Amino acid sequence: MDFVLAWPARVGVRSLNAVGPKAATGSVRNSYCSGVTTSHSFPKCVSLRRPAQFSRVFEKPKRTSDGLFTVLARRNELGFPRLGLAISKKSVGKTNVKRNRFRRVVRESFRLSQHELPNVDVVVMAKQGVQKASSQELQQSLNNHWRSIVRLCGPLSSH
């Protein structure tokens, strides 16, 4: 008795070991992270992800603070700014929905302002009471922090 597959074989499926022009020349993300900061995108390479990256910022930061956020910044040698988030349950709320909303707001503000920032690693920490602020107040606060970082860490470096 012969068995026949009930579904067709998948055609055009990419393997994990990609070959072709994209694999050979590098992806858009790699070119962005090589110093091309004209894009308003937010690839993974512009995020602080490892504890050592956060620790480096916490060692000797330039600090700016208001009633909603504390922002720490430290120069990097990468040619582009990076963002790290420290949004705690205590400051924002116990549910992931609330914390993720603030993460989205901060990432979006950073994404739109990153082309004006110098080459810095930035950690944004929310303060208690930030959940009571309106979206407009959050945006205004973050915009003020980005301007302060430019003032504290120097002008935009040539890319």
Side-chain angles (χ1 to χ4, degrees), residues 117-137:
L117 295 174
N119 302 333
V120 291
D121 290 338
V122 177
V123 175
V124 177
M125 298 182 293
K127 289 187 172 183
Q128 277 187 318
V130 73
Q131 70 272 15
K132 296 174 186 166
S134 69
S135 293
Q136 186 177 8
E137 291 171 326

Side-chain angles (χ1 to χ4, degrees), residues 29-47:
R29 184 187 127 221
N30 290 340
S31 66
Y32 178 88
C33 292
S34 297
V36 179
T37 57
T38 58
S39 170
H40 285 283
S41 63
F42 192 82
K44 286 182 181 180
C45 63
V46 299
S47 294

Side-chain angles (χ1 to χ4, degrees), residues 91-109:
S91 63
V92 175
K94 294 191 185 299
T95 66
N96 280 339
V97 173
K98 291 178 181 176
R99 288 193 307 280
N100 288 340
R101 174 182 174 257
F102 286 96
R103 287 185 184 111
R104 282 192 305 273
V105 166
V106 174
R107 274 196 304 265
E108 180 68 5
S109 178

Side-chain angles (χ1 to χ4, degrees), residues 134-152:
S134 69
S135 293
Q136 186 177 8
E137 291 171 326
L138 295 174
Q139 288 298 325
Q140 185 62 41
S141 172
L142 290 166
N143 288 337
N144 290 338
H145 286 296
W146 305 143
R147 283 192 293 273
S148 295
I149 287 172
V150 170
R151 192 174 62 250
L152 291 171

